[in-house]
Amino acid sequence: MLSNQAGEGKRASLHGHWSSKMAFILAVTGSAVGLGNIWKFPYIAGQNGGGAFVLVYLVCTVVIGMPVMMSEILIGRRGRRNPVATMELLGKEEGSSGHWRWVGVLGVIGGSLILSYYSVIAGWTLGYVVKSASGVFVGASVEAVGAEFKNFVGDWRIIGFCHTLFMALTVFVVTRGVERGLEQAVRFMVPALLVLMLVLLGYSMNSGYFGQGLSFMFSIPESCMTLAPECPLTWDSVLAALGQAFFTLSIGMGAIMAYGAYLPEDTSITGASAAVVTADTGIAILAGLAIFPLVFANGLDPADGPGLVFQTLPLAFGQMAGGVFFSTIFFVLLSFAAWTSAIGLMEPAVAWVVEHFNKTRAQASLLIGGLIWFIGFGSVLSFNVLADTTFLAGTLFDNVDYLTSSIILPLGGLLITVFAGWVMCRNSTADELGSAGTLYKAWRVLVRFIAPIGILFILINAIT
Ligand code: TRP
């Protein structure tokens, strides 16, 4: 078997290694924790009716997300190249085909498309840093906060400028490679974000509507428990939940594979994955628990969409003692969280251009960044000039989001599980996961049967 040769002659990465296991966990956590947890999870859960959606999301995270994440890391570490080259190399090495590189290509495209709108929303958080600091939210009414948001996103020049600023910051870090400073940033940012989420949670618990928020998030209609036809959860919602699990964990597009390429041999892939999945899911749930009581306390609509966080949290901060301070810090931290994620979103494309076209990191990130910046204007305009131009899934922004979260990520995840479970031989995966014990067997059952069949089943049901 060719694969055994790879197992013995371990490859070195072309881009340097993480300084430690902790550094790797921090980097992956930094990529996972972002707008997906705090901005996207609450509004998607709100649009899909709460409880039943949250349950499906949690099940998808454990049963599909976790094994896919482990697969991506192990593939990345074994290949030690950019996702495109890694898939091609391992595909050949495992006696299959170099065409597996298309999985990497799909990831490069998916990541770039996600970043095109991610940067726009991250631009909003930058804008909200300034708004918070200016004190406009102090004692503001629901209507005032809502109007503030509508005016803000209604002006394409302002949010276009914020998007430009955010992309520039992202390109700046990516140019400099795997950065020590980034590890430091994540080490501080994630705990600080956690503390501020707890402050918000405390406020929500005292809003008098905590019970209502809790029940919105966790109570499941009787009809769904018995799988009766009256259950309001549609296959579209199930696909949205699956897509959200992929999106928030940064999986399905080779980003984690790219990070895995820099992982030292002796790090436990299972342990690292479990840590990241726990932190990421915990922060999303916390965000939901902080936001939904505020939604109900202020008579807002949980299905309001992408503006949800920007219309609830400033309201809460505006009524808190020290609100200007907390609110400013919160949006600074959220911008940081988005920044560390954006870097991860660009990494597969940049690593690929560097290796494939023989460019410097700076050239590659300017090229890719410029392209993504340009595409991002489609999303900038979706909230103002082109707000009424809708097709298929909605505005241009809605379509890019649907195409990436609901199609590209699950499809990428499906192909990754098939590759790790069926194409790679047992020896290769057992070698990377470091055992052939019970845990390994469980992973293999999940990755060979449960995850691919589950993804396929959901995709087919939702699309037909
Ligand atoms: N997980 C990120 C978030 O929740 C977004 C994201 C999706 C991402 N795919 C990624 C980040 C790949 C880095 C790499 O905000």
Side-chain angles (χ1 to χ4, degrees), residues 418-436:
V418 169
F419 189 80
W422 296 93
V423 174
M424 289 181 83
C425 70
R426 220 190 143 85
N427 287 345
S428 311
T429 50
D431 178 32
E432 290 299 331
L433 291 179
S435 97

mmCIF file of all heavy atoms in Angstrom, residues 418-436:
data_model
loop_
_atom_site.group_PDB
_atom_site.id
_atom_site.type_symbol
_atom_site.label_atom_id
_atom_site.label_comp_id
_atom_site.label_asym_id
_atom_site.label_seq_id
_atom_site.Cartn_x
_atom_site.Cartn_y
_atom_site.Cartn_z
ATOM 1 N N VAL A 418 -16.572 10.749 2.923
ATOM 2 C CA VAL A 418 -16.384 9.614 2.014
ATOM 3 C C VAL A 418 -14.885 9.349 1.840
ATOM 4 O O VAL A 418 -14.422 8.207 1.873
ATOM 5 C CB VAL A 418 -17.050 9.875 0.638
ATOM 6 C CG1 VAL A 418 -16.636 8.819 -0.382
ATOM 7 C CG2 VAL A 418 -18.567 9.914 0.783
ATOM 8 N N PHE A 419 -14.133 10.431 1.714
ATOM 9 C CA PHE A 419 -12.690 10.277 1.526
ATOM 10 C C PHE A 419 -12.029 9.645 2.757
ATOM 11 O O PHE A 419 -11.280 8.680 2.643
ATOM 12 C CB PHE A 419 -12.053 11.634 1.226
ATOM 13 C CG PHE A 419 -10.612 11.522 0.811
ATOM 14 C CD1 PHE A 419 -10.279 11.182 -0.486
ATOM 15 C CD2 PHE A 419 -9.592 11.760 1.731
ATOM 16 C CE1 PHE A 419 -8.947 11.058 -0.878
ATOM 17 C CE2 PHE A 419 -8.265 11.642 1.353
ATOM 18 C CZ PHE A 419 -7.941 11.291 0.042
ATOM 19 N N ALA A 420 -12.346 10.212 3.945
ATOM 20 C CA ALA A 420 -11.704 9.712 5.162
ATOM 21 C C ALA A 420 -12.201 8.318 5.532
ATOM 22 O O ALA A 420 -11.458 7.501 6.080
ATOM 23 C CB ALA A 420 -11.947 10.685 6.320
ATOM 24 N N GLY A 421 -13.466 8.035 5.228
ATOM 25 C CA GLY A 421 -14.043 6.765 5.655
ATOM 26 C C GLY A 421 -13.879 5.629 4.650
ATOM 27 O O GLY A 421 -13.768 4.468 5.040
ATOM 28 N N TRP A 422 -13.904 5.976 3.382
ATOM 29 C CA TRP A 422 -13.902 4.918 2.365
ATOM 30 C C TRP A 422 -12.657 4.895 1.501
ATOM 31 O O TRP A 422 -12.211 3.829 1.066
ATOM 32 C CB TRP A 422 -15.144 5.058 1.467
ATOM 33 C CG TRP A 422 -16.418 4.843 2.222
ATOM 34 C CD1 TRP A 422 -17.179 5.807 2.817
ATOM 35 C CD2 TRP A 422 -17.062 3.595 2.507
ATOM 36 N NE1 TRP A 422 -18.260 5.252 3.442
ATOM 37 C CE2 TRP A 422 -18.219 3.873 3.264
ATOM 38 C CE3 TRP A 422 -16.771 2.248 2.193
ATOM 39 C CZ2 TRP A 422 -19.089 2.891 3.722
ATOM 40 C CZ3 TRP A 422 -17.649 1.256 2.632
ATOM 41 C CH2 TRP A 422 -18.790 1.590 3.392
ATOM 42 N N VAL A 423 -12.081 6.058 1.200
ATOM 43 C CA VAL A 423 -10.922 6.075 0.309
ATOM 44 C C VAL A 423 -9.630 5.815 1.083
ATOM 45 O O VAL A 423 -8.805 5.005 0.694
ATOM 46 C CB VAL A 423 -10.835 7.416 -0.467
ATOM 47 C CG1 VAL A 423 -9.554 7.493 -1.270
ATOM 48 C CG2 VAL A 423 -12.046 7.564 -1.375
ATOM 49 N N MET A 424 -9.481 6.499 2.209
ATOM 50 C CA MET A 424 -8.263 6.293 2.993
ATOM 51 C C MET A 424 -8.342 4.922 3.654
ATOM 52 O O MET A 424 -9.392 4.524 4.153
ATOM 53 C CB MET A 424 -8.133 7.365 4.076
ATOM 54 C CG MET A 424 -7.802 8.735 3.509
ATOM 55 S SD MET A 424 -7.613 9.974 4.803
ATOM 56 C CE MET A 424 -5.915 9.689 5.303
ATOM 57 N N CYS A 425 -7.229 4.204 3.660
ATOM 58 C CA CYS A 425 -7.305 2.886 4.262
ATOM 59 C C CYS A 425 -7.218 3.005 5.778
ATOM 60 O O CYS A 425 -6.786 4.017 6.327
ATOM 61 C CB CYS A 425 -6.257 1.948 3.674
ATOM 62 S SG CYS A 425 -4.606 2.374 4.178
ATOM 63 N N ARG A 426 -7.668 1.953 6.423
ATOM 64 C CA ARG A 426 -7.744 1.907 7.877
ATOM 65 C C ARG A 426 -6.416 2.282 8.527
ATOM 66 O O ARG A 426 -6.384 3.026 9.500
ATOM 67 C CB ARG A 426 -8.121 0.477 8.256
ATOM 68 C CG ARG A 426 -9.098 0.368 9.381
ATOM 69 C CD ARG A 426 -9.190 -1.086 9.825
ATOM 70 N NE ARG A 426 -9.331 -1.075 11.273
ATOM 71 C CZ ARG A 426 -10.489 -0.936 11.881
ATOM 72 N NH1 ARG A 426 -11.592 -0.850 11.189
ATOM 73 N NH2 ARG A 426 -10.552 -0.899 13.199
ATOM 74 N N ASN A 427 -5.343 1.754 7.960
ATOM 75 C CA ASN A 427 -4.026 2.016 8.550
ATOM 76 C C ASN A 427 -3.710 3.508 8.584
ATOM 77 O O ASN A 427 -3.169 4.013 9.562
ATOM 78 C CB ASN A 427 -2.927 1.321 7.739
ATOM 79 C CG ASN A 427 -2.956 -0.172 7.964
ATOM 80 O OD1 ASN A 427 -3.587 -0.636 8.918
ATOM 81 N ND2 ASN A 427 -2.294 -0.910 7.085
ATOM 82 N N SER A 428 -4.046 4.189 7.487
ATOM 83 C CA SER A 428 -3.720 5.614 7.409
ATOM 84 C C SER A 428 -4.466 6.402 8.468
ATOM 85 O O SER A 428 -3.877 7.214 9.188
ATOM 86 C CB SER A 428 -4.096 6.187 6.050
ATOM 87 O OG SER A 428 -3.620 5.380 5.019
ATOM 88 N N THR A 429 -5.769 6.168 8.579
ATOM 89 C CA THR A 429 -6.541 6.970 9.525
ATOM 90 C C THR A 429 -6.214 6.577 10.962
ATOM 91 O O THR A 429 -6.094 7.439 11.833
ATOM 92 C CB THR A 429 -8.055 6.860 9.257
ATOM 93 O OG1 THR A 429 -8.432 5.501 9.144
ATOM 94 C CG2 THR A 429 -8.437 7.603 7.999
ATOM 95 N N ALA A 430 -6.036 5.280 11.210
ATOM 96 C CA ALA A 430 -5.707 4.840 12.570
ATOM 97 C C ALA A 430 -4.351 5.429 12.975
ATOM 98 O O ALA A 430 -4.161 5.841 14.126
ATOM 99 C CB ALA A 430 -5.675 3.320 12.649
ATOM 100 N N ASP A 431 -3.447 5.501 12.023
ATOM 101 C CA ASP A 431 -2.132 6.076 12.269
ATOM 102 C C ASP A 431 -2.265 7.530 12.716
ATOM 103 O O ASP A 431 -1.670 7.959 13.707
ATOM 104 C CB ASP A 431 -1.313 5.974 10.965
ATOM 105 C CG ASP A 431 0.064 6.593 11.100
ATOM 106 O OD1 ASP A 431 0.608 6.541 12.222
ATOM 107 O OD2 ASP A 431 0.576 7.122 10.093
ATOM 108 N N GLU A 432 -3.081 8.307 12.019
ATOM 109 C CA GLU A 432 -3.249 9.725 12.363
ATOM 110 C C GLU A 432 -4.015 9.905 13.671
ATOM 111 O O GLU A 432 -3.706 10.788 14.465
ATOM 112 C CB GLU A 432 -3.974 10.475 11.242
ATOM 113 C CG GLU A 432 -3.171 10.668 9.970
ATOM 114 C CD GLU A 432 -1.897 11.484 10.180
ATOM 115 O OE1 GLU A 432 -1.877 12.331 11.084
ATOM 116 O OE2 GLU A 432 -0.922 11.244 9.444
ATOM 117 N N LEU A 433 -5.051 9.091 13.873
ATOM 118 C CA LEU A 433 -5.852 9.266 15.084
ATOM 119 C C LEU A 433 -5.184 8.596 16.276
ATOM 120 O O LEU A 433 -5.625 8.739 17.413
ATOM 121 C CB LEU A 433 -7.280 8.753 14.879
ATOM 122 C CG LEU A 433 -8.117 9.607 13.917
ATOM 123 C CD1 LEU A 433 -9.517 9.037 13.746
ATOM 124 C CD2 LEU A 433 -8.216 11.056 14.394
ATOM 125 N N GLY A 434 -4.150 7.842 16.002
ATOM 126 C CA GLY A 434 -3.289 7.344 17.074
ATOM 127 C C GLY A 434 -3.827 6.172 17.867
ATOM 128 O O GLY A 434 -3.324 5.882 18.946
ATOM 129 N N SER A 435 -4.870 5.499 17.381
ATOM 130 C CA SER A 435 -5.312 4.299 18.085
ATOM 131 C C SER A 435 -6.272 3.541 17.199
ATOM 132 O O SER A 435 -6.747 4.035 16.181
ATOM 133 C CB SER A 435 -6.030 4.654 19.381
ATOM 134 O OG SER A 435 -7.431 4.651 19.189
ATOM 135 N N ALA A 436 -6.558 2.309 17.594
ATOM 136 C CA ALA A 436 -7.574 1.561 16.876
ATOM 137 C C ALA A 436 -8.604 1.093 17.892
ATOM 138 O O ALA A 436 -9.285 0.102 17.698
ATOM 139 C CB ALA A 436 -6.945 0.397 16.126
#
